[in-house]
């Protein structure tokens, strides 16, 4: 085991960083629209089963593998077995994290862009009169390479800046600073949602099951989302676990991470659906729910300027704290296995992600 590896300063820091990884676009952008399209509470129920029966045990195992070996996913398997097969399983994790960040950073860029648009008051212009015009605005902006790549570059630069500072001064400090802000903003948005007229319709949409929408596909979707939201299967939790001290117990920590992640997804759903229902709109608007439907609805509320800004700031913070954990997987791999300096590893991986994102931009534009 390596002794000079950086470590979290406390178990609480690890929990915050791991929760920061788990709570991301998956909770605020993806969960509400897939729940909306797949039976509301019925989906939530299946998703919770997946989290408890499959997600939690795997989360424990990933963190344990990291903490025991003090290595990145490839190094962890190499340490544990001589069978080369497992090394490739670890390598798949590194590859997956790289691929995920290529699309994640594009959506992270959109979030930053909309935080800026909210701040300068664009949501109060006729372009945001209703979800349909707002959708046109989004598509128009999204067809401009300069806009997409500019904000994408900004997003990746923030991630790079944090990672260059290392585990304690970068990952830990950023999570300790950003996660409380995220929770605070979310509470404001939930409270303002709950006091809207017809807020109860939004809440019962999330908590009253529509079983007619459930089929085999729903189970797969819920399971896939459980993996994605807990940052499982690509070594992020293993890498974060590798910075844990041996004396820190991991079972409680992973319960807490899964609990925070689930509660935040549900609260984001409450914040979003109360607004959607109180404005009489369709909760099944798909991926466009957050970028097409919400901006005009939020800005139409009393105090809407500030709520719209807070919402996109929340989304951006969630994206950044997850983005750093995704890139850290491949950085840890290069530092541990290829003996690269942290600086070189971060810049090289960010450069590769940047190139990968060009093609992702085209794919996302086509499917949105
Ligand atoms: N859990 C993050 C989210 O819900 O947005 C996404 C994610 C982070 C996936 C880290 C994978 C990962 F390694």
């Amino acid at each position: 085991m390596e002794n000079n590896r950086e470590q979290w300063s406390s178990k609480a820091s690890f929990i915050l960083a791991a929760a920061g990884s788990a709570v991301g676009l998956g909770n605020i952008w993806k969960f509400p629209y897939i729940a909306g399209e797949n039976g509301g509470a019925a989906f939530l129920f299946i998703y919770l089963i997946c989290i408890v029966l499959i997600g939690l045990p795997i989360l424990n195992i990933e963190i344990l593998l990291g903490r025991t070996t003090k290595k990145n996913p490839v190094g962890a398997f190499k340490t544990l077995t001589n069978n080369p097969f497992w090394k490739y399983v670890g390598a798949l994790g590194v590859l997956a994290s790289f691929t995920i960040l290529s699309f994640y950073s594009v959506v992270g860029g959109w979030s930053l862009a909309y935080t800026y648009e909210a701040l300068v008051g664009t949501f109060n212009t006729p372009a945001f009169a209703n979800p349909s015009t707002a959708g046109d605005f989004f598509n128009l902006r999204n067809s401009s390479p300069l806009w997409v790549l500019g904000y994408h570059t900004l997003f990746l630069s923030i991630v790079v800046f944090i990672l260059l500072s290392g585990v304690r001064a970068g990952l830990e400090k950023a999570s300790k600073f950003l996660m409380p802000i995220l929770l605070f903003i979310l509470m404001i948005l939930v409270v303002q949602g709950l006091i809207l007229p017809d807020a109860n319709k939004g809440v019962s949409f999330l908590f009253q099951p529509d079983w007619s929408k459930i089929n085999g596909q729903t189970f797969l979707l819920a399971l896939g989302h459980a993996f994605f939201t807990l940052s499982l299967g690509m070594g992020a939790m293993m890498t974060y676990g590798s910075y844990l001290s041996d004396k820190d117990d991991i079972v409680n920590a992973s319960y807490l991470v899964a609990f925070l992640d689930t509660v935040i997804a549900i609260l984001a759903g409450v914040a979003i659906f109360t607004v959607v229902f109180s404005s009489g709109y369709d909760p099944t608007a798909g991926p466009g729910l957050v970028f097409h439907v919400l901006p005009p609805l939020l800005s139409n509320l009393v105090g809407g300027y500030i709520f719209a800004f807070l919402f996109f700031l929340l989304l951006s913070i969630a994206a950044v704290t997850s983005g750093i954990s995704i890139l850290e997987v491949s950085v840890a791999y290069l530092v541990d296995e290829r003996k690269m300096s942290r600086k070189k590893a971060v810049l090289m991986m960010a450069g590769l992600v940047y190139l990968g994102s060009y093609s992702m931009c085209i794919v996302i534009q086509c499917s949105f």
Side-chain angles (χ1 to χ4, degrees):
M1 311 286 129
E2 287 171 31
N3 292 328
N4 57 356
R5 193 180 188 77
E6 266 202 280
Q7 284 191 344
W8 308 109
S9 61
S10 64
K11 192 170 104 178
S13 307
F14 164 74
I15 292 172
L16 266 189
S21 168
V23 175
L25 294 169
N27 301 60
I28 299 161
W29 176 56
K30 194 160 175 237
F31 174 77
Y33 84 74
I34 53 175
E37 283 177 334
N38 294 282
F43 178 82
L44 180 62
F45 180 70
I46 295 168
Y47 165 75
L48 288 179
I49 292 179
C50 293
I51 291 276
V52 172
L53 294 187
I54 302 170
L56 248 183
I58 297 182
L59 179 62
N60 262 307
I61 292 168
E62 270 209 30
I63 300 173
L64 180 64
L65 284 177
R67 193 194 64 174
T68 308
T69 58
K70 303 275 183 288
K71 289 270 171 66
N72 66 91
V74 176
F77 286 117
K78 273 206 309 210
T79 309
L80 290 171
T81 167
N82 289 329
N83 183 341
F85 169 77
W86 289 102
K87 189 174 79 180
Y88 294 111
V89 171
L92 267 182
V94 175
L95 195 71
S97 68
F98 159 79
T99 318
I100 286 196
L101 192 59
S102 299
F103 96 79
Y104 208 85
S105 53
V106 176
V107 185
W110 293 347
S111 314
L112 290 176
Y114 266 44
T115 310
Y116 172 76
E117 300 292 358
L119 191 67
V120 297
T122 314
F123 294 166
N124 295 323
T125 61
F128 283 85
N130 59 55
S132 160
T133 56
D136 293 342
F137 177 92
F138 181 84
N139 292 335
L140 188 72
R141 283 283 197 272
N142 207 26
S143 60
S144 149
L146 203 67
W147 187 82
V148 178
L149 290 175
Y151 282 107
H152 168 239
T153 309
L154 179 64
F155 180 82
L156 263 186
S157 309
I158 298 173
V159 168
V160 164
F161 174 75
I162 296 172
L163 287 196
L164 282 179
S165 308
V167 175
R168 271 201 198 178
L171 297 168
E172 179 173 324
K173 216 167 161 187
S175 314
K176 273 185 171 163
F177 175 66
L178 293 172
M179 287 308 283
I181 300 180
L182 179 142
L183 281 173
F184 183 64
I185 296 178
L186 186 61
M187 293 326 292
I188 296 179
L189 293 173
V190 168
V191 171
Q192 84 85 31
L194 287 175
I195 57 180
L196 290 174
D198 283 339
N200 59 327
K201 285 192 189 154
V203 176
S204 49
F205 173 73
L206 256 185
F207 294 106
Q208 261 177 25
D210 174 3
W211 295 107
S212 67
K213 294 256 176 73
I214 300 303
N215 52 41
Q217 199 62 29
T218 324
F219 277 88
L220 280 181
L221 196 65
L223 183 60
H225 189 64
F227 268 81
F228 185 77
T229 193
L230 289 178
S231 309
L232 299 178
M234 54 217 84
M237 290 301 179
M238 207 184 285
T239 307
Y240 270 20
S242 74
Y243 304 128
L244 257 177
S245 133
D246 284 335
K247 61 181 191 326
D248 288 323
D249 109 277
I250 55 168
V251 179
N252 285 346
S254 42
Y255 278 141
L256 211 67
V257 171
F259 174 77
L260 275 172
D261 182 61
T262 309
V263 168
I264 289 176
I266 294 173
L267 288 179
V270 170
I272 290 173
F273 288 127
T274 44
V275 174
V276 171
F277 275 88
S278 98
S279 317
Y281 270 92
D282 181 10
T284 60
L289 180 63
V290 159
F291 290 99
H292 299 181
V293 179
L294 271 188
L297 302 192
L298 280 170
S299 56
N300 277 342
L301 303 174
V302 180
Y305 170 84
I306 188 79
F307 293 131
F309 169 69
L310 286 178
F311 179 80
F312 284 100
L313 184 62
L314 171 83
L315 196 63
S316 303
I317 292 177
V320 166
T321 55
S322 295
I324 54 180
S325 74
I326 306 179
L327 196 60
E328 180 64 21
V329 178
S330 37
V331 169
Y333 163 75
L334 290 178
V335 171
D336 293 347
E337 306 302 309
R338 307 274 158 202
K339 306 295 169 222
M340 237 179 228
S341 70
R342 185 170 186 88
K343 186 173 169 195
K344 197 165 163 200
V346 170
L347 293 176
M348 192 178 121
M349 282 322 297
L352 283 176
V353 168
Y354 195 75
L355 290 179
S357 301
Y358 274 97
S359 42
M360 285 295 170
C361 281
I362 297 165
V363 174
I364 297 178
Q365 269 177 354
C366 294
S367 65
F368 200 52

